[in-house]
Amino acid sequence: MAEMSGAQTTHQELVQHIDSMKEKRAELDRFVQKEEEEKARIVNDLRILNERLARVDEGLARKYAARQEYDKTIAETENAFSKIIDSSRTLLHVLKRESTTLSSKHVGDSWS
C-alpha cells in the first residue's frame, strides 16, 4: 500500500508540475499575442509613415523643380534687363552726341 501511496503522490506531483507548466505556457502565449499585436500596429504605422514620406519626397521634388524654374527665369530676366539698361545708356549717349552735333551745326540758323 505504501507503494500505492508513493505512486499516487508522484502522480499528483507530476500533474501539478504539468498544470503549472501549462499555466506558464498560457501566460507566455498571452505575452506573445500582445507583442504580435504591438508588432502589427508598428508595421502598420511604419507603412503609413513610409507612404507619407513618399508623398513628402514627391512634393519636395516638384517644389525643387519649380524653384529651379524660378531661378532660371529670374536669371534670364535680370540678364535681359541688364542688356536693356546697357542699350538705353548707349542710346542716350548717342542721342546726346547727335543733339550736340546738330546744335553746333545749326547755331545761329534762323528757324522762321
Side-chain angles (χ1 to χ4, degrees), residues 21-78:
M21 290 179 76
K22 285 181 179 179
E23 288 174 16
K24 289 178 182 178
R25 185 192 181 284
E27 183 179 350
L28 181 60
D29 197 39
R30 286 188 297 274
F31 284 124
V32 167
Q33 182 65 32
K34 285 181 184 177
E35 287 188 7
E36 285 177 350
E37 290 170 1
E38 182 179 0
K39 178 184 174 184
R41 281 191 302 275
I42 291 170
V43 166
N44 187 52
D45 291 347
L46 194 55
R47 180 188 56 80
I48 291 168
L49 288 172
N50 280 328
E51 289 172 1
R52 270 181 63 192
L53 179 61
R55 284 192 303 272
V56 167
D57 280 343
E58 289 169 5
L60 279 172
R62 285 190 303 273
K63 287 173 179 70
Y64 290 149
R67 186 174 64 184
Q68 270 187 311
E69 288 180 37
Y70 274 107
D71 289 345
K72 180 182 174 193
T73 301
I74 289 168
E76 289 172 351
T77 303
E78 286 175 338

Side-chain angles (χ1 to χ4, degrees), residues 90-103:
T90 302
L91 179 60
L92 181 60
H93 176 71
V94 169
L95 184 61
K96 285 180 179 179
R97 188 182 67 220
E98 289 299 315
S99 178
T100 303
T101 303
L102 287 174
S103 291

Side-chain angles (χ1 to χ4, degrees), residues 6 9 11-12 17-18 28 30 46 49 61 66 74-75 83-84 94-95 105 110-111:
T9 303
H11 175 72
Q12 286 176 347
H17 283 290
I18 290 171
L28 181 60
R30 286 188 297 274
L46 194 55
L49 288 172
I74 289 168
K83 288 178 182 179
I84 290 169
V94 169
L95 184 61
K105 281 185 179 179
S110 168
W111 295 103

